[in-house]
Amino acid sequence: MVMNPTRICIAGVAGRMGQCLLALTLKDPELKLVEALERRGHKWVGHHLSEVAGVEKGLGVVVDSDLHHESTAQVFIDFTEPVTASFHAKVCADLKIPIIIGTTGVVGDEKDRIARAAEHIPVIHAPNFSVGVNVLFKLVEQAAEALGDSYDVEIVEAHHNQKEDAPSGTALRLYQSVLKGFEPNAGYTAVHGRSSFNRGVRTKKEIGIHAIRMADVVGEHTVYFAIGGERIELTHKASSRDTFARGALRAAKWIVGKDPGMYTMAQVLGLE
């Protein structure tokens, strides 16, 4: 038995990712769930998780809508939506609680708010917490560096039909991995989809990023490197959301005790 398990709070506990995080947390002796949040007005708020989520009795956690000043959580995990995630980042900064953010589609003021929180607490805001995907980021960067920018590069991602942002945060991060591997300031631009009605032939200075939305696809990403005579494909396919939850919980254990700042999953995994 672990003497001092990491105490965590899960935001959006009734959601798909929240349910994965909850199930894996309860199985991990190195973790202890001490708080769980859902949006105001949600039917779970005010009820014990043992009643609404079907988890083991005696857990003693009542679903709340706010993180309070008397919180005992050591790490806050958020897979909600951009406005909520950025708000939670500010609250965590005020309470000095490290935060793990897996919410994608964060831009503008929300992104700035998370960056400001990192001035006061350790933050990991990753487009994808899968260990395999983060290894893919590194492999794509190495491939781009080794192959050179004479290769055409295309990125294709597929997700379920309820995903709101497109292209995915993971696809955009893969695009950055390609650029990092190519010569600095090579002048590449992203092209999101193509149509012969408004474009000519493919230029050498573009990287296609294409989004597919269908049924219940968890997440698939492929980066193509092609030149006359050969093609390299680097692909990651997720068949369960558990892979993202496991990575987030691994990050939660790692981040405790770190200095304020913005950290990456590559650092968690020792890839940089």
Side-chain angles (χ1 to χ4, degrees):
M1 181 177 179
V2 179
M3 294 299 294
N4 295 299
T6 301
R7 303 184 303 275
I8 69 170
C9 173
I10 298 174
V13 69
R16 286 174 293 193
M17 276 302 303
Q19 289 287 278
C20 289
L21 288 163
L22 174 63
L24 292 175
T25 296
L26 297 180
K27 295 177 182 178
D28 192 331
E30 296 181 355
L31 297 169
K32 180 179 181 181
L33 183 71
V34 294
E35 294 173 69
L37 303 185
E38 258 303 337
R39 65 182 183 277
R40 292 182 183 180
H42 193 279
K43 62 183 180 181
W44 282 22
V45 174
H47 296 276
H48 281 83
L49 276 174
S50 56
E51 300 172 4
V52 294
V55 298
E56 61 190 44
K57 294 184 178 180
L59 186 65
V61 175
V62 176
V63 181
D64 206 335
S65 58
D66 297 292
L67 187 64
H68 300 289
H69 285 281
E70 61 271 20
S71 172
T72 61
Q74 292 175 286
V75 184
F76 188 96
I77 304 179
D78 187 298
F79 280 80
T80 57
E81 51 85 29
V83 173
T84 302
S86 64
F87 171 75
H88 285 154
K90 182 180 184 304
V91 174
C92 285
D94 292 340
L95 299 180
K96 304 302 181 187
I97 299 174
I99 186 169
I100 306 293
I101 301 174
T103 303
T104 60
V106 179
V107 296
D109 291 343
E110 286 79 21
K111 189 174 183 179
D112 291 341
R113 184 178 289 179
I114 293 172
R116 288 195 296 271
E119 298 174 3
H120 306 281
I121 57 172
V123 175
I124 299 177
H125 182 200
N128 195 310
F129 278 91
S130 161
V131 172
V133 163
N134 280 276
V135 171
L136 178 64
F137 292 151
K138 190 68 174 180
L139 292 174
V140 167
E141 179 186 336
Q142 291 175 335
E145 183 177 5
L147 296 171
D149 58 11
S150 60
Y151 279 70
D152 293 336
V153 180
E154 298 284 308
I155 300 168
V156 179
E157 57 98 343
H159 284 86
H160 56 87
N161 58 20
Q162 298 301 302
K163 184 172 177 60
E164 295 183 4
D165 58 311
S168 69
T170 301
L172 295 175
R173 176 64 178 79
L174 287 167
Y175 171 67
Q176 293 299 323
S177 293
V178 174
L179 295 183
K180 191 173 181 180
F182 282 167
E183 289 294 325
N185 304 314
Y188 275 80
T189 58
V191 174
H192 304 284
R194 294 189 178 88
S195 170
S196 60
F197 291 106
N198 55 23
R199 295 189 59 82
V201 299
R202 185 191 197 281
T203 72
K204 290 300 297 181
K205 289 298 183 179
E206 63 184 60
I207 296 174
I209 306 178
H210 314 286
I212 299 171
R213 297 290 176 265
M214 55 187 177
D216 58 352
V217 177
V218 175
E220 300 180 3
H221 296 84
T222 297
V223 180
Y224 298 88
F225 292 88
I227 197 169
E230 68 175 11
R231 181 174 75 239
I232 297 171
E233 301 177 13
L234 297 175
T235 298
H236 178 274
K237 296 182 179 181
S239 57
S240 168
R241 289 181 178 81
D242 284 1
T243 186
F244 311 126
R246 289 192 192 95
L249 294 174
R250 182 168 173 175
K253 298 174 188 178
W254 180 89
I255 203 172
V256 174
K258 295 294 186 295
D259 293 330
M262 191 72 74
Y263 296 90
T264 67
M265 273 300 289
Q267 289 173 296
V268 174
L269 301 174
L271 297 175
E272 65 176 35

